[in-house]
Each structure stands twice: as C-alpha cells, then as structure tokens.
Amino acid sequence: MSELLCGPTRAIVKWALTAIIVGWSAFPIFYMVLGSFKPPADVWAYPPRIFGPVTGQNYAEILRFNPTYIHDMWNSVQVTVYGVLLTLLIALAAAFVFARLRLGWLRVPAFFIITVRMFPPIVVIIPLFPLMSALGLLDTLTPVVIAGVAFGVSIATLLLKAFIDDIPIDLEEAALIDGCTRFQAFYRITLPLIAPGLAAVVVFTSVGLWNEYLFPLVFTSSEARTAPVTIAVAINNVEGVRWGMLLAMSAVHLAPMLVLVMLVHKQLAEGMTLGAVKG
Amino acid sequence: MAATGILTAVRPTRSLNWTRTAVALALLLPVVAVLCFVILVPSVQLLWLSLTDYSPGLGGSFVGLKNYVWILTDPAFQAALLRNLFYVFVVVGCEVLIGFAIALFLQQPIPLRPLWMALVIAPYAVSPIVAVVMWKYMLDPSFGVVNYMLTSIGLPAVKWLSTPTTSMAAIIIVAVWKEFSFTTIVLFAALSTVPRELYEASKIDGASSWQTLRLVTIPLITPAIAIVVLFRVIFTLREFGIPQTFTGGGPGTSTEILSLYLYKEAFRYSNFGSGAATGWIMLVITVLLSSVLIRRTFRGMFPRTR
C-alpha cells in the first residue's frame, strides 16, 4: 500500500481509515449520549437526526419511571468503593509477599491464584445461591461485593506483584537502615513509586465491579439491586421501551467509568498488556 | 546473586525464616480465603450438585451421572454447545482481525495518535448491559441508524432481532465491539516490539508490504496472537450479559449459548442438578483451555534463574 500511495492520496486514505476506526470505537457511545439529550420525537426520528434541539427531559423522566434508580446507582457506588478497597488491601498484602519474600512454598498459593482466576463466574452462582440464602445474605450488597472481589483479586495481585518487582529492593533497604520498619519501608518508599500501576489496578477493579451484572442479577432483588440490573429490566420492558429515558439511564451509568478510563488510559493499556503477556 | 543489601545478602537464620513464613501466611490468608470461599469450594460443591437432583427448598439426593446423561442427550444442550463454539469462533476471529488491523494501522506515524488510542480503549469502560442499550438503539428496525446507513449505501434494511441468523449477528457485533480494545492494545504492544531494522532490511531486499507483513511481522508476533486468542476464547465462552439482555436466547432458542442454558435450567426450571452439570462441563473446557496460560503465567512469576 505504502508504495502505491503517496502525497495527498495517502494522507486522505490515512484520514479516512482513522475516521473509520474512531467511528467504530466511539460512535456508539457518542450516539447514545446524543440520543439521551434529544426530545422524544427526535429519539424515534427516521431518518435519524444528528442536529436538533437539546433537552434534559429524558434525565428528568428517569426518576418518574424508575424511582429506585438513585438508590440502585448508590448501591453500585457502594459495591464499587467497598470492592475496590477490599481488593486493594488484600491484593497488596499478597503482592508484597510474592514480590519481596523468597520462600519456596509460595509457588503453591501462586499456582492457586493463577488457576482460579480462569474459572467462569457463572458456575459458582449455582452453589453460592443456596448458601447465600441460608446465610440470609440474599438481597444484600455483601455477596455482590465478595463475589466481585473474588473474580478481580487474582489479576490485581498479579499486576501489583509485577509493578512491585520493577522497584529495586535497594530503596527499601536504605529506608531500613534509616530506621524504618519493613512495613514502613514498603508503604513509604515502594507504594508511592508504583502509584501509576496502582491507578491502573484501581480502574481495572472499578470497571469490573461497576459493570458487574451476573452477581447482582442472581443475588439481589430490590433493596440491593445495582444499576445494570435496573437498566437490563428497562431494556426488556414489555410495555414498550422508553428509549430516551433508557439512553439517559445508560449515559448516567457509563459517565463515571468513561471518565476514569480516559484519565488513565495509558496505564490501563500497559496493564492490559502486562496482564495478558506477562501476568 | 549480586545483591548486597541487608535483606538479601544475610543468610537468613532459622528463626528469621520462621518469622517470614508466618508473615507470608498471614498476608496471603485474606486472598486465599476469599478465593476458596467464593470460587474453589463452590466449584467442588458444583461437582457434588451435578450428581444430585437438588432443587432449592426441596433438597436433593444422589443420582449418579443421570444429569450428565440427561443434558448430553438433550438436543437443546447439544445445540447450545455447538452454537457457543460457533459464537466463540466468530467473535474471537473478528476481535483478533479487527484488533490486528487497527493495531497495524496505528503503528504508522499518524497525527494525534494518542487521542485515537484513547478512543479505542473507550468501549472497555462500557458495561455489557449499556453496550446492549447502545446497539439495540442503533440496530432498531424502524428508527435504527445502522439500517439508515445500510440503506443509504444501497443495501437492504435488516430486521435484526427478528430472524435467528441476524439475531446471532447482532449479539456477535455487540460482543466484538465491547472487547476489541483488548486485542487491539495487546497486539499494538506486540507490534511495537518488532525491531525497526527488520522492516528496513526487508525493504532493502525488495519485499512488498504484503510480503513483509506475512513473512516478518506475523511470524514475530504469532506468540502474542496465540495468547490473545486463548484469553479471548476462554472469556467469550462464558458470555452471559450480552445475549441474556439483548435477545434472551431468542428468537426461539437461536441465540441460546451454554451460560443461558445453565441459567434457564437452574433458575427458571429449578433443575440445579442439570445446571450444575452444564457448569462443570463449562469449567472443564475452561481449565483445559487455560492450562497453557496458567503454566505461562506461573513461569513468568517464578523465573528459573531465581
């Protein structure tokens, strides 16, 4: 291709291909957000209208037709915040052990963590459902958080271990000589240095918990229902889908994660590569 | 070992080693406990459940391999399995082809490349359910923008969710869109590791772009492609949210894949036994496929030089 095309033709082809890639990646998101601000007549318009009046009506309608949506979003926030904190806490502890302590038997827990990471979440809901029911935990946030953490903690541990490996242990040793304890040396010296990696892990974990659908679907019904389940119910409304409102609900759900992902997209890309190729 | 620091050079005494073991155990305990409680123990329980006729509230008794015989001879299960394999094949194939094409294109010097890279990763932020909302809106037969685009270039409009073939196509499109970021990013990183000199050398030897791609680039990144394919196969096999919310397995059972079959058996018909048997079959396929990745990750974590 490169020999055949030169000068302006080549530039045009490049821009056209870029436009196709951007359209494919971002158009669905753009079109949803755009639709969420259209007045009802334009949401259903054919041919579709890109330019037209802008209204916040669809957002106002969310609470009229889904009065629980704020509650459901708040549940999603809680699941994500608790889940991320719990994941970070236990994954950092484990990653520290794998990266800094040299003990032969660590191969056993490492193998375990790497293996169960691959298990499909759908297979554990069958045994967990009666258990959660017996424990009286159905329709609470606990099973959603715990199950979400379990399926995200392995990759978090492996990534954090890889990031800690990159920080020379000499720095911690210097801190030890200066009178720090082993623990202080780790969290005062190494932890700040792996901040970019930590950010990627936080976003990975947040996206997983925030977008989780299977666990809230199975383990919750109303009190602890999270936003994705409410959206899924609204998609398949037998009385007809209120598209404007549905697009607004989806945009509200997407916005925080989209911002987070865009903020750390570079570290995220590195984390994805590391998780696949190395982790 | 060349390190001279106090943590590595001093040969640990017996008591220091014991302290380390205790600390390591205490710090690993939470992760291991969560994984045991949520994943390992339930998976073993699942094997037991698959050998019983358990149903919630009624209890169950041991029935041997009856559930396995039942699902394996159930035409709906066989169809779901074959459909799932087809689904995985097409979804992963498209993800890798699209990811590779985009990664290859973005390797060239292009203005504003970081911005395009950021946009490519955007679908990663989208929940599968929200992705379904977006595409269901765009694929709507009466006001969808996709049909508008198709008809404006002279192609016929498609009634996406009305026929089995186009419904399958619709869930495949959503799944590919949702996950192509991963293949693009990883293959982009793999392409970046191909030494520039090789391209220059093949140019000097008079190779065409196509020959360079086929004889230099692709062989060098084959290991990365293999890993990406394996990862995506494993994670596509269990897909649930997209087909469940988009088509619900329909029309008829034309988009019912294994996870939907399992969910229906267990939670609609309360046949936890046959649901569990389906789950165990999925688990075994997953673990077999994962073994290569597991070994690789393990080696990466504990290099032999240590």
Side-chain angles (χ1 to χ4, degrees):
Chain A
M1 187 170 79
S2 48
E3 300 90 46
L4 300 174
L5 305 170
C6 54
T9 333
R10 193 169 177 190
I12 291 169
V13 170
K14 260 191 187 177
W15 277 108
L17 288 175
T18 310
I20 292 174
I21 293 173
V22 171
W24 160 251
S25 316
F27 183 75
I29 300 174
F30 165 78
Y31 197 64
M32 177 189 79
V33 176
L34 184 79
S36 74
F37 287 108
K38 286 179 185 172
D42 283 9
V43 171
W44 307 84
Y46 193 87
R49 290 180 65 175
I50 296 282
F51 302 103
V54 171
T55 163
Q57 201 185 335
N58 297 319
Y59 288 86
E61 276 198 348
I62 296 178
L63 287 183
R64 187 140 60 89
F65 294 100
N66 283 289
T68 63
Y69 198 58
I70 289 188
H71 184 75
D72 304 335
M73 280 291 284
W74 176 237
N75 283 339
S76 286
V77 170
Q78 290 185 77
V79 166
T80 308
V81 171
Y82 295 147
V84 167
L85 289 178
L86 191 59
T87 304
L88 270 194
L89 196 70
I90 67 179
L92 262 178
F96 168 77
V97 172
F98 288 125
R100 292 298 195 231
L101 301 183
R102 309 225 154 133
L103 298 159
W105 58 266
L106 286 181
R107 287 162 177 272
V108 180
F111 183 77
F112 173 65
I113 289 173
I114 295 167
T115 306
V116 294
R117 166 194 179 196
M118 297 297 181
F119 283 29
I122 191 147
V123 307
V124 303
I125 58 169
I126 291 182
L128 282 182
F129 182 78
L131 175 70
M132 294 301 171
S133 172
L135 293 173
L137 289 174
L138 287 184
D139 208 17
T140 68
L141 295 177
T142 314
V144 183
V145 173
I146 300 286
V149 167
F151 281 94
V153 76
S154 295
I155 183 66
T157 306
L158 298 178
L159 285 175
L160 288 171
K161 191 249 176 206
F163 294 133
I164 297 171
D165 276 340
D166 283 346
I167 309 298
I169 196 168
D170 313 29
L171 297 175
E172 282 177 41
E173 284 165 353
L176 283 182
I177 293 170
D178 290 345
C180 281
T181 63
R182 189 79 204 266
F183 176 65
Q184 284 173 324
F186 178 72
Y187 91 96
R188 286 205 185 144
I189 308 293
T190 305
L191 213 51
L193 288 171
I194 61 163
L198 212 54
V201 172
V202 167
V203 176
F204 268 120
T205 315
S206 308
V207 170
L209 290 158
W210 182 257
N211 292 342
E212 187 54 66
Y213 172 66
L214 180 65
F215 297 132
L217 176 74
V218 175
F219 295 136
T220 73
S221 42
S222 58
E223 251 331 282
R225 188 159 89 169
T226 61
V229 181
T230 312
I231 297 174
V233 171
I235 302 177
N236 293 306
N237 189 346
V238 284
E239 293 162 19
V241 179
R242 296 185 171 275
W243 274 110
M245 181 205 68
L246 184 57
L247 294 175
M249 282 168 83
S250 304
V252 169
H253 183 257
L254 171 62
M257 279 311 127
L258 191 61
V259 170
L260 267 187
V261 164
M262 289 294 103
L263 279 178
V264 297
H265 73 270
K266 248 192 206 127
Q267 288 86 336
L268 214 55
E270 279 162 21
M272 270 187 195
T273 312
L274 198 64
V277 178
K278 220 174 151 194
Chain B
M1 206 170 285
T4 51
I6 50 170
L7 293 178
T8 40
V10 176
R11 192 162 284 278
T13 62
R14 193 163 287 255
S15 69
L16 184 57
N17 221 343
W18 272 112
T19 324
R20 270 195 197 188
T21 303
V23 169
L25 278 176
L27 292 179
L28 287 176
L29 185 69
V31 168
V32 173
V34 168
L35 292 176
C36 279
F37 176 70
V38 179
I39 307 182
L40 186 69
V41 174
S43 301
V44 177
Q45 262 183 307
L46 186 76
L47 180 61
W48 166 247
L49 277 174
S50 74
L51 303 172
T52 70
D53 57 1
Y54 181 87
S55 112
L58 296 172
S61 49
F62 185 80
V63 294
L65 292 174
K66 210 174 126 200
N67 289 314
Y68 289 93
V69 174
W70 194 80
I71 60 167
L72 288 172
T73 53
D74 180 10
F77 174 84
Q78 296 164 356
L81 178 64
L82 285 178
R83 204 176 285 126
N84 209 340
L85 295 178
F86 170 79
Y87 173 81
V88 167
F89 182 78
V90 177
V91 169
V92 175
C94 291
E95 281 174 6
V96 170
L97 282 178
I98 293 174
F100 183 68
I102 297 180
L104 203 59
F105 178 74
L106 290 176
Q107 283 287 319
Q108 299 175 289
I110 295 158
L112 302 176
R113 189 169 70 179
L115 178 63
W116 314 138
M117 295 286 286
L119 289 178
V120 163
I121 214 171
Y124 174 74
V126 181
S127 132
I129 311 308
V130 171
V132 167
V133 172
M134 290 173 182
W135 284 94
K136 202 170 181 181
Y137 182 54
M138 296 204 305
L139 294 175
D140 191 279
S142 53
F143 54 85
V145 69
V146 171
N147 273 354
Y148 175 72
M149 288 174 179
L150 289 178
T151 48
S152 63
I153 57 169
L155 293 168
V158 179
K159 283 192 164 14
W160 289 98
L161 296 190
S162 309
T163 75
T165 320
T166 51
S167 294
M168 187 51 119
I171 63 168
I172 287 172
I173 292 171
V174 184
V176 171
W177 180 80
K178 176 74 195 81
E179 296 294 345
F180 82 99
S181 311
F182 173 79
T183 52
T184 310
I185 301 292
V186 178
L187 293 178
F188 180 85
L191 285 171
S192 311
T193 63
V194 178
R196 289 265 146 255
E197 300 83 55
L198 287 179
Y199 290 129
E200 282 153 23
S202 79
K203 204 171 189 180
I204 292 167
D205 290 345
S208 70
S209 301
W210 170 244
Q211 282 173 320
T212 310
L213 179 68
R214 198 164 53 88
L215 300 170
V216 178
T217 315
I218 292 181
L220 278 171
I221 67 159
T222 299
I225 295 177
I227 291 165
V228 165
V229 167
L230 260 181
F231 256 104
R232 290 308 311 147
V233 166
I234 292 164
F235 285 88
T236 309
L237 193 73
R238 63 182 64 164
E239 198 97 72
F240 175 74
I242 292 173
Q244 203 254 356
T245 49
F246 203 167
T247 62
T253 56
S254 59
T255 52
E256 187 175 284
I257 55 176
L258 287 178
S259 62
L260 295 185
Y261 178 86
L262 180 158
Y263 189 79
K264 201 162 89 175
E265 282 294 320
F267 292 97
R268 194 179 305 162
Y269 304 140
S270 286
N271 290 332
F272 271 45
S274 52
T278 311
W280 245 77
I281 290 172
M282 287 176 77
L283 186 59
V284 168
I285 298 175
T286 303
V287 171
L288 287 179
L289 286 171
S290 311
S291 56
V292 181
L293 290 177
I294 292 170
R295 211 175 311 139
R296 225 180 141 273
T297 311
F298 188 66
R299 290 230 182 96
M301 218 169 154
F302 292 99
R304 291 199 183 283
T305 51
R306 219 150 148 193

